[in-house]
Amino acid sequence: MQISVVVPCMNEAESIPHLVERLASSVKPYGDQAEILLVDDGSTDETWSAIQTAREFCAQLRGLRLSANRGHQVALTAGLEAAKGERIFMLDADLQDPPELLGDMMVMMDRGYDVVYGTRRKREGETVFKRVTAWAFYRVLNTMSDVDIPRDTGDFRLVSRKALTAVLSMPERARFVRGMFAWVGFRQIGIEYVRAPRESGETKYPLRKMVRFAIDAMTAFSTKPLKFATRMSFASLGFSGLMMIYVLHSLIVYQTAPGWASIVLVVSLFAGVQLMTLGILGEYIGRLYIEAKNRPLYFVSEDTCRAEVLPLQEMV
Ligand code: UDP
Ligand code: MG
């Protein structure tokens, strides 16, 4: 198998026919040396039957259905683990990332790169809010993380088997796929593209999921937030030292009872700093707990490939 295309899909029934059509024409040059893997991430709409219908028109298509919704990054991981190709192309189901870029990415890979990622030069049809938060996300992530993760770059990329094997050998539960590819190294290069608006349906990343994703991204690749907590505690110690001088001075010079304002100010400031520090610790401890449980990331409930093989095995 020369190339595998991996697409995580959650409630993307409307996008699938067009997605498969465009993917099929992008992988046409590779014939039966290409496979298209659609991972249904516990959809509650008709996504799975749309995948099955599309299989009637596209022989290279394989569907994988997860037993429940596990999130974009885990669904992507499931697809990557199932992929058989020498080169693996990943993209979103909503056609925001053009499948036609595969050709250009293949050319770059022929030149010896192991990871060719797509960098968004421009985003079309996305709200100002999404653009601003995404812009801030990639910048904050870069300052926070110890790994140099390319900016404005999602999971849209072509990777070699070598790079994929390296990423799949990483045992962590907290999957931040683009960060993991950045971490493994090898020769990497980005190509710029314009991110199109969503073809149909709406975003599966509401603010709540975006915040989760951002916290996951930062904690998975850095312990800088913990250092930030330490730095905050030094800052607050310094502040309380100054405060103490002020309080003693007022007591001696003016002989006043300590003021209400300063007490409230100090108490609320330190309560805030302490809670935040505890919160940061909690994020890491929670993650240690999840990692320690070492549960499987996902379960496959249906696999169109396996369904065909099973009757044969039963005959034996
Ligand atoms: N997705 C998924 N599981 C989820 C959320 C999203 O598999 O729990 C898929 C979704 O179907 C899409 C991709 O992840 O193919 C990216 O999601 P989306 O386009 O909604 O994100 P956005 O582009 O708005 O950031
Ligand atoms: Mg999208």
Side-chain angles (χ1 to χ4, degrees), residues 12 92-97 120 123 126 130 195-199 202-205:
E12 302 281 5
D92 287 351
D94 55 8
L95 291 168
Q96 282 193 285
D97 312 315
R120 300 154 188 172
R123 288 164 172 263
E126 284 185 301
K130 173 91 185 188
R195 192 162 209 232
R198 214 172 210 285
E199 284 252 320
E202 51 195 48
T203 176
K204 309 298 181 296
Y205 266 101

Side-chain angles (χ1 to χ4, degrees), residues 114-115 117 141-142 145-150 153 155 157 159 162-172 174-188 217-223:
D114 283 292
V115 177
Y117 53 83
L141 177 63
N142 240 291
S145 111
D146 304 326
V147 190
D148 201 11
I149 300 170
T153 300
D155 295 313
R157 58 188 63 212
V159 302
K162 193 160 67 175
L164 180 64
T165 307
V167 163
L168 292 182
S169 74
M170 295 163 76
E172 61 231 65
R175 310 302 285 193
F176 180 56
V177 175
R178 63 198 76 165
M180 296 165 82
F181 274 106
W183 186 81
V184 295
F186 300 108
R187 287 188 72 197
Q188 311 211 356
M218 279 167 219
T219 50
F221 279 88
S222 155
T223 49

Side-chain angles (χ1 to χ4, degrees), residues 7-12 39-41 69-73 75-76 91-94 96 120 123 126 130 195 198 202-205 209-210:
V7 190
C9 313
M10 182 195 117
N11 296 348
E12 302 281 5
V39 184
D40 177 0
D41 184 20
N69 180 252
R70 290 278 187 262
H72 176 199
Q73 300 290 306
L76 184 58
L91 72 166
D92 287 351
D94 55 8
Q96 282 193 285
R120 300 154 188 172
R123 288 164 172 263
E126 284 185 301
K130 173 91 185 188
R195 192 162 209 232
R198 214 172 210 285
E202 51 195 48
T203 176
K204 309 298 181 296
Y205 266 101
K209 271 198 200 171
M210 278 197 320

Side-chain angles (χ1 to χ4, degrees), residues 22 27 37 49 58 75 148 198 210 214 216 269:
R22 275 179 64 185
V27 299
L37 245 157
S49 55
C58 178
D148 201 11
R198 214 172 210 285
M210 278 197 320
D216 272 346
L269 177 80

